[in-house]
Amino acid sequence: MPAGSSLRLDINGRVGIPDAATAVVLNLTAVLPQAPGYATMFPRGVATPQASNLNYAPGQVVPNAVVAKIGGGGDVCLFTLAAADYIVDVTGYLLGTPP
């Protein structure tokens, strides 16, 4: 992903996640970022938060567990401060009132 960009990830209805899911549990891994920075997952339809889910330095491979609320259209968004590749592994989902 390019520095300062966001990527929309379609969640609900994919890989066994029901349309009724309100949050997703995933493992987010930054791969070889080009500069120091951070990444954050957030619900589609809201402003990018001022908090991070993952912090990294150049050239690192850094994983972290994340629980992200699902937003409009059943999507979450990934923001990256520095250019980096990412791996997103869904490990579960939550139903009911989101965290």
Side-chain angles (χ1 to χ4, degrees):
M1 292 178 57
S5 68
S6 292
L7 176 67
R8 182 182 61 83
L9 302 168
D10 185 23
I11 297 295
N12 283 1
R14 299 198 56 190
V15 294
I17 299 172
D19 289 337
T22 56
V24 65
V25 181
L26 50 89
N27 188 52
L28 174 64
T29 304
V31 180
L32 306 175
Q34 296 179 6
Y38 66 91
T40 188
M41 301 289 301
F42 59 99
R44 180 180 177 201
V46 303
T48 304
Q50 297 295 312
S52 67
N53 293 114
L54 184 70
N55 299 300
Y56 48 73
Q60 290 184 322
V61 176
V62 182
N64 197 27
V66 176
V67 176
K69 183 178 175 183
I70 297 171
D75 302 335
V76 296
C77 295
L78 168 61
F79 171 81
T80 185
L81 183 65
D85 291 327
Y86 286 93
I87 301 168
V88 180
D89 294 314
V90 175
T91 59
Y93 58 87
L94 301 171
L95 299 170
T97 305

